[in-house]
Amino acid sequence: MEPHLRLVTGSIDRVFTGRQPWQIVAITTTTVLGSIWLCQVLFQEESLYRRAKKKVFKVARLIPAVRRRVDAEIEKINDGFIKDISQTGNYYTELPHDSMGQAEILKKVDEYLDLGHYRWKEGFISGAVYYYNPELIKLVTEVYGKASYTNPLHPDVFPGVCKMEAEVVRMTATLFHGGPAACGTMTTGGTESIMMACKAYRDYANDQRGITKPNMVLPVTAHTGFDKAAKYLGIYTKVVPVNGDTTEVDIAAMERAINRNTVMLVGSAPNFPYGTMDDIEAIAALGRKYNIPVHVDACLGGFLIVFMKRAGYPVRPFDFSIPGVTSISADTHKYGFTPKGSSVILYSEKVYRHYQYTVTTEWPGGVYGSPTVNGSRAGGIIAATWATMMNFGLDGYVEATKRIIDTTRYIEQELRAIKNIFIFGTPATSVIGIGSRDFDIFLLGGELSNLGWNLNSLQFPSGIHICVTYMHTEAGVADKFIQDVRSKVALIMKNPTKPVEGKMAIYGVAQSVPDRELIGDFTKCFIDSMYYTPVDQKAAK
């Protein structure tokens, strides 16, 4: 990763420092904000400032000199990504003429899975892999194999898989204090669960209230899956700030953002950046006051927070026990420890789930109904999720939760004792956000990366976080992390103004770039590189 990220950093510096092209942009700024476009955008939902900024940079890119410079830098970025990813060995770009033997296939799979250098099995990464146990893997592998051919799109053919899905949904609803009317579906992950809730509320508002220009009100810390859902579904996002000290959503700002086109309110339990939990009771009160559905995103920590009271940790109300909470998303494939690709979206009553469905009645192929985005779905994942939950049981999840929260609280306590860094808000479950007022926090991120730690980088404001998983509960892992942070902070404070270098520099520089579309272009180059294959095999050798 480092070579191409250094290239990104250098390219941003070349594009955005000095007199060009910013001198041109500055001149353009003074001329663009005129009557040509102002009347067209004045009455749109998006703020005038945001629209003005987008328009300025869009027009600036039309200037040939600027466009050539930007295109050249993007090309360099892309070349850097490709150079890095192409070092992973030979690629198959055509089907082999003869079938490959099973032994060779399994050998190749092992080779591919061994690519990468992070020691994730030893707890050196933040999140990503939440539990690793060879015995559990053996179980879910066998279960998935047995159900790998099944497809719940055909419930008459595979009623057993549908029964498993229904049981997973009901068990999860019970954990979140759902009443007899509570219901939901399984999905392929948190983003799809979020998308389904957004789709349900968009269609519900259109049908029941005639809303044709829907918006959702959500904290700036809400998962970016809501932004993705909004783009897919044509919903405008009204993002509101959080309290700088608590990092919880500003309830007064949320109320001010509500208007007659608001179709849903969103709260996180907890949020991804800082692991803090919004005041769900206050958000639900707004929902009741304005008759607007309230969605609680518990994708990240849902399968911890529901067990915390049983594990001896107090937790504020966050679920269906609060009147006004109408839906909850929770990922089984995180702290539910199931295989990747499973999540649950829950509703307080069936009327909302009905608007999640897609039903076609006029198709020549027959009447068609689908509960989620997918038509055909992987019955193997449903079966493996069911098997994992049955394998852990309530006591197993409570014990795992206790270990994870104990470890998180220990790490948080020790980090708070280290001078020159601070913790964002009060972590609700397993995420600890770290910042500094005395040095660029990305210096610490870079130093820890050099030691093999893979943490998440945050922006606006700068920060890093660790998402504690079951692997961090193993003997010595938490102490190793604390000691590494302590020693690296002491090292940094010997020269706290040292500039950030290497792959961490991109995060600090990227925040200073006002043209966010350019950062988006760089990101698209990186995503493109994940699908790289050489034009011919010679290029891969």
Side-chain angles (χ1 to χ4, degrees), residues 203-269:
D203 292 356
Y204 174 82
N206 178 263
D207 188 44
Q208 299 293 320
R209 297 163 55 193
I211 293 176
T212 58
K213 295 181 179 180
N215 69 64
M216 67 175 94
V217 179
L218 66 164
V220 67
T221 49
H223 195 275
T224 190
F226 289 97
D227 186 59
K228 179 185 285 190
K231 287 180 170 65
Y232 272 83
L233 299 169
I235 304 173
Y236 176 69
T237 56
K238 303 189 74 172
V239 179
V240 297
V242 296
N243 180 285
D245 295 324
T246 66
T247 70
E248 297 175 19
V249 67
D250 183 330
I251 297 298
M254 175 170 273
E255 183 167 18
R256 288 193 298 270
I258 295 171
N259 64 21
R260 62 183 181 181
N261 289 324
T262 301
V263 300
M264 63 186 293
L265 306 178
V266 176
S268 303

Side-chain angles (χ1 to χ4, degrees), residues 392-508:
F392 270 90
L394 181 63
D395 290 345
Y397 279 123
V398 171
E399 176 58 29
T401 296
K402 179 172 175 52
R403 289 187 60 172
I404 292 169
I405 302 301
D406 283 350
T407 301
T408 303
R409 296 293 187 266
Y410 171 64
I411 293 174
E412 178 193 351
Q413 174 184 312
E414 295 299 311
L415 292 181
R416 287 188 185 277
I418 299 175
K419 292 182 179 180
N420 309 115
I421 62 173
F422 67 86
I423 304 301
F424 287 98
T426 301
T429 55
S430 58
V431 173
I432 307 170
I434 307 169
S436 177
R437 300 180 182 90
D438 301 318
F439 61 86
D440 190 329
I441 194 63
F442 295 134
L443 282 171
L444 178 59
E447 291 290 344
L448 292 174
S449 178
N450 292 337
L451 295 178
W453 294 100
N454 179 260
L455 305 183
N456 298 90
S457 297
L458 315 175
Q459 61 178 355
F460 309 127
S462 298
I464 56 177
H465 88 209
I466 180 169
C467 179
V468 178
T469 68
Y470 196 85
M471 271 82 83
H472 296 106
T473 70
E474 299 297 335
V477 177
D479 287 322
K480 169 66 174 169
F481 177 72
I482 294 164
Q483 180 54 41
D484 285 347
V485 172
R486 184 180 291 116
S487 64
K488 290 305 181 181
V489 169
L491 175 65
I492 290 169
M493 288 307 298
K494 293 179 179 179
N495 183 16
T497 60
K498 176 184 176 183
V500 181
E501 299 176 349
K503 66 180 182 178
M504 297 304 297
I506 176 62
Y507 299 103

